[in-house]
């Protein structure tokens, strides 16, 4: 491949990176919300995201069964899947907070390691429960999303780039989620309560705010965002397993750190940057290294770049502005 060819595929590579980045950004919003309130790295959020993908798959299979479809319009079916996944993942996130994290908080645990280990344990538990469910219900590990011609339609864009309809849906939903979450946090009564609890939980309680209620609602919102992201992830990549949340979740957490964890716009920007790094390295590494480093090294390159960036700016791109955090 010549240098001209490498430049010719650059716009399409950027577009693919943009799609991947928006998926990471949607998941990162859930991480950054919980961290902004509790200072907790909720590793179980990646499994909440995976559960959203599984719920969406079940909606597609049950109500979109090609032999007897309850809903034949794929766009309406996708909307139903997004709603059910948001509700299911939101409830799951609330249950995780209620039965795993709240007891630790009530006992006054000051250790950072205890809630982190608990989060990892909950993550493994949700993976195994989903694996049991998939085995008993479908007797399969790799669960495939149903595809629709209307969603897979390829549209031509300038600069010889193309995008599928479902890719446009991912971008639009991601931007709407960012706008909606920013409005919720900055312009609503619930958002003010969330910011008050994140800044000083005890003082917020003295002002009549119930911290437990606000924290539960924060998990509900973060989990719902993760559920929506899970459905869009399944729609894009079609294959879902009980472990589908691990790597995207880790990268989404990295995106949140990259942008400045606790900062909503930072999570979105961090996701977009990481998506571009991963896609660009996966596309060009084989050519730039004469095949010595293949596409499989894209994750190494992306995380190495992240490490180098954080060495010089450990607070992330946007930093952690206490007065503006969630």
């Amino acid at each position: 491949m010549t240098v001209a060819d490498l430049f010719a595929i650059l716009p399409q590579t950027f577009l693919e990176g943009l799609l991947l980045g928006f998926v990471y950004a949607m998941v990162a919003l859930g991480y950054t919300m919980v961290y902004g309130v509790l200072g907790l790295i909720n590793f179980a959020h990646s499994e909440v995201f995976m559960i959203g993908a599984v719920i969406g798959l079940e909606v597609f299979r049950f109500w979109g069964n090609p032999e007897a479809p309850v809903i034949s319009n794929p766009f309406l079916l996708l909307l139903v899947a997004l709603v059910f996944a948001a509700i299911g993942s939101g409830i799951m996130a609330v249950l995780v907070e209620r039965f795993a994290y709240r007891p630790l908080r009530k006992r006054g645990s000051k250790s950072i390691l205890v809630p982190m280990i608990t989060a990892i344990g909950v993550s493994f538990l949700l993976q195994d429960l989903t694996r049991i469910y998939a085995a008993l219900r479908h007797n399969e590990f790799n669960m495939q999303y149903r595809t629709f011609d209307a969603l897979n339609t390829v549209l031509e864009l300038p600069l010889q780039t193309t995008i599928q309809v479902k890719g446009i849906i991912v971008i639009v939903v991601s931007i709407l989620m960012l706008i909606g979450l920013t409005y919720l946090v900055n312009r609503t009564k619930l958002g003010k309560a969330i910011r008050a609890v994140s800044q000083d939980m005890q003082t917020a309680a003295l002002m009549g705010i119930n911290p437990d209620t606000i924290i539960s609602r924060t998990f509900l919102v973060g989990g719902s965002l993760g559920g929506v992201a899970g459905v869009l992830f399944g729609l894009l990549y079609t294959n879902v397993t009980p472990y589908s949340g691990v790597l995207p979740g880790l990268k989404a957490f990295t995106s949140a750190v990259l942008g400045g964890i606790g900062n909503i716009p930072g999570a979105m920007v961090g996701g977009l940057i990481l998506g571009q790094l991963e896609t660009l390295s996966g596309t060009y590494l084989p050519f730039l290294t004469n095949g010595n480093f293949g596409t499989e090294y894209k994750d190494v390159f992306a995380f190495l770049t992240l490490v180098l960036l954080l060495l010089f700016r450990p607070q992330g791109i946007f930093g952690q502005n206490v007065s503006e955090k969630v």
Side-chain angles (χ1 to χ4, degrees), residues 84-153:
F84 271 78
I87 295 173
S89 293
I91 292 174
M92 179 56 68
V94 171
L95 291 176
V96 169
E97 188 278 329
R98 177 63 182 84
F99 294 105
Y101 302 144
R102 187 180 298 183
L104 297 177
R105 197 169 66 250
K106 293 297 183 184
R107 292 174 185 174
S109 174
K110 301 296 183 184
S111 172
I112 299 175
L113 290 177
V114 173
M116 185 179 296
I117 293 172
T118 302
I120 294 173
V122 171
S123 180
F124 284 129
L125 175 65
L126 293 178
Q127 287 174 8
D128 285 339
L129 289 177
T130 306
R131 187 164 56 86
I132 293 171
Y133 170 81
L136 293 176
R137 178 165 174 77
H138 300 295
N139 193 27
E140 59 184 344
F141 182 80
N142 293 291
M143 297 174 281
Q144 299 294 322
Y145 260 68
R146 187 189 168 196
T147 58
F148 296 89
D149 292 338
L151 297 175
N152 292 330
T153 301

Side-chain angles (χ1 to χ4, degrees), residues 255-277:
S255 302
V257 175
L258 181 62
I261 192 163
N263 189 306
I264 293 174
M268 183 65 77
V269 172
L272 295 178
I273 291 176
L274 193 64
Q276 292 296 344
L277 287 175

